[in-house]
Amino acid sequence: TRALPLALRGSDLQTVIALLTARKTDDSFTAAFRDRLIQGLGKINPALESDQELMHNTQAFLRGELSPRLFTRYAAGELDRILLAMAPAAPAKPAPADAPMKPAPATSPAKPNGNPLTNSIGMQLLPIPAGTFTMGSPASEKDRDDDETQHEVTLSKPFYMGRTEVTQGQWKKVMGTEPWKGKGYVQEGDDYPAVYVSWGDAVAFCKKLSAKEGKTYRLPTEAEWEYACRGGTKTAFSFGDDEAKLSDYAWWGAIVGEGNAQDEQYAHRVAQKLPNPFGLHDMHGNVWEWCSDWYDNYPSTPRRDPRSPRSGSFRVLRGGSWRGGPLLVRCAFRLNSTPECRRSDCGFRLVLE
């Protein structure tokens, strides 16, 4: 295998671009992603360490040292940073600003104890029962990753979880800011998810809303998130294993996977797709959702009410987004990122204790 140079001289960049152009595409490394990567590499700044890292990792990918799945997951955020800073893109098909949020279905297969709540900012929260489930994915699951080791988890207390991701309207009522304003790949409106929020931004929202209401709002733990996402199921998705049904439940595949967001490259209004068995919307796709945990390897033994390690380098995000393919929106898939990360496809939803 050819060892590629690590410098950022023009000739080296042209070598990388030529190799990318010649590389075969597949479900993980699509033609659309390749073209976006080439565009981003053409705009890198050699003086920035993060841009040097993107070039270095692209070369490592071409040498076969990084798998297509790992590389595309990493590069997606870097390309957002580079390309959106240069020229924010207008969505191809903006939706009407006054389209109403769809009501929740009258019935759901799951019957958790308690009644839904609506808080002071109009956020709907649904009851999630205590229970035991198998976290992670079986070795036989399509596209599983090595960090999805199956283990039994018991959540001993019921909790409430937001029916949808936190919306722009809810964010503005609490924080009085619009971090997504003027950014690329965003539709603005009260029922769209709040995006371009870091882990710290999400925690600050929780603290401010908690103080406002005298209650405890927080980000879900990773175990709570997966338990709520599965809704009692054991399959790759909360609706089964059939990827053909994904568009009924999620906005996905704008960049990878040729999904229903290809021509509408932004996070969509919440609750426009079918809910999971607990009545939660958009647990698959639309935006990645911050969890409270630091990223760490799973244990192989049973756990009860697991909590995050006390320290770490990366926080956990779950659920996939409008950008990625089916493998990224599975119940068990785990993404990690620096807490400072702000992207067009990153948001969050709340837990109320």
Side-chain angles (χ1 to χ4, degrees):
T1 303
R2 180 181 180 184
L4 297 173
L6 297 181
L8 293 179
R9 295 186 298 272
S11 59
D12 296 337
L13 176 59
Q14 292 308 311
T15 299
V16 169
I17 289 176
L19 289 170
L20 286 171
T21 302
R23 193 187 188 282
K24 290 184 178 180
T25 57
D26 53 35
D27 289 343
S28 296
F29 185 75
T30 65
F33 179 84
R34 180 191 60 195
D35 293 346
R36 194 163 188 262
L37 176 60
I38 290 172
Q39 181 186 10
L41 289 174
K43 298 180 182 296
I44 55 177
N45 181 352
L48 294 179
E49 183 177 347
S50 55
D51 284 14
Q52 293 181 32
E53 183 180 17
L54 176 61
M55 173 61 85
H56 177 87
N57 285 328
T58 302
Q59 293 167 331
F61 163 67
L62 288 168
R63 289 193 296 263
E65 297 169 6
L66 289 176
S67 71
R69 284 189 297 172
L70 289 175
F71 176 68
T72 54
R73 285 159 56 186
Y74 152 77
E78 294 303 303
L79 293 174
D80 270 357
R81 174 181 60 80
I82 293 170
L83 295 176
L84 298 184
M86 298 294 294
K93 294 182 180 180
D98 57 353
M101 201 161 55
K102 290 183 180 178
T107 60
S108 171
K111 295 182 180 179
N113 295 325
N115 296 314
L117 301 176
T118 300
N119 68 8
S120 64
I121 60 171
M123 180 184 294
Q124 298 176 22
L125 298 116
L126 303 183
I128 309 298
T132 298
F133 77 112
T134 300
M135 191 170 182
S137 64
S140 59
E141 185 167 300
K142 180 183 177 183
D143 293 325
R144 83 180 297 270
D145 272 343
D146 293 339
D147 63 353
E148 298 172 11
T149 303
Q150 284 195 307
H151 58 292
E152 183 180 282
V153 171
T154 296
L155 300 177
S156 63
K157 298 179 180 178
F159 56 93
Y160 282 86
M161 177 175 271
R163 175 178 164 244
T164 71
E165 301 108 337
V166 173
T167 66
Q168 294 177 19
Q170 292 161 357
W171 176 275
K172 289 187 291 185
K173 288 179 181 179
V174 175
M175 306 300 285
T177 61
E178 297 176 273
W180 54 83
K181 192 75 174 179
K183 301 287 178 60
Y185 299 96
V186 176
Q187 279 288 292
E188 297 184 20
D190 285 350
D191 291 337
Y192 288 96
V195 291
Y196 286 100
V197 292
S198 68
W199 183 89
D201 296 335
V203 170
F205 178 95
C206 294
K207 290 180 177 179
K208 197 164 184 179
L209 181 59
S210 296
K212 172 183 171 65
E213 295 192 355
K215 300 176 181 178
T216 301
Y217 289 95
R218 57 175 174 81
L219 295 178
T221 67
E222 188 175 15
E224 288 170 338
W225 191 96
E226 185 170 328
Y227 176 72
C229 178
R230 291 187 176 280
T233 66
K234 299 180 180 180
T235 46
F237 310 100
S238 64
F239 52 84
D241 291 316
D242 188 359
E243 293 178 5
K245 297 180 180 179
L246 187 55
S247 291
D248 294 334
Y249 292 84
W251 295 105
W252 67 284
I255 306 300
V256 179
E258 299 183 351
N260 58 3
Q262 278 190 305
D263 296 327
E264 299 178 347
Q265 296 190 5
Y266 49 83
H268 287 67
R269 280 189 175 84
V270 298
Q272 301 300 295
K273 296 295 183 178
L274 295 175
N276 79 350
F278 281 164
L280 302 171
H281 291 263
D282 303 311
M283 295 297 282
H284 303 293
N286 212 23
V287 297
W288 289 103
E289 299 180 12
W290 288 109
C291 294
S292 61
D293 304 57
W294 290 107
Y295 178 82
D296 197 10
N297 291 327
Y298 280 164
S300 57
T301 54
R303 289 291 185 268
R304 183 180 179 87
D305 299 321
R307 287 292 186 264
S308 166
R310 293 188 176 182
S311 63
S313 300
F314 304 98
R315 294 289 184 178
V316 174
L317 295 118
R318 287 301 210 103
S321 79
W322 55 268
R323 302 178 74 259
L327 76 93
L328 302 180
V329 303
R330 293 177 299 112
C331 295
F333 187 83
R334 312 173 71 202
L335 185 70
N336 62 80
S337 183
T338 57
E340 299 79 18
C341 177
R342 294 181 176 90
R343 287 172 34 169
S344 62
D345 63 342
C346 287
F348 66 107
R349 76 176 70 215
L350 299 189
V351 158
L352 170 63
E353 293 183 352

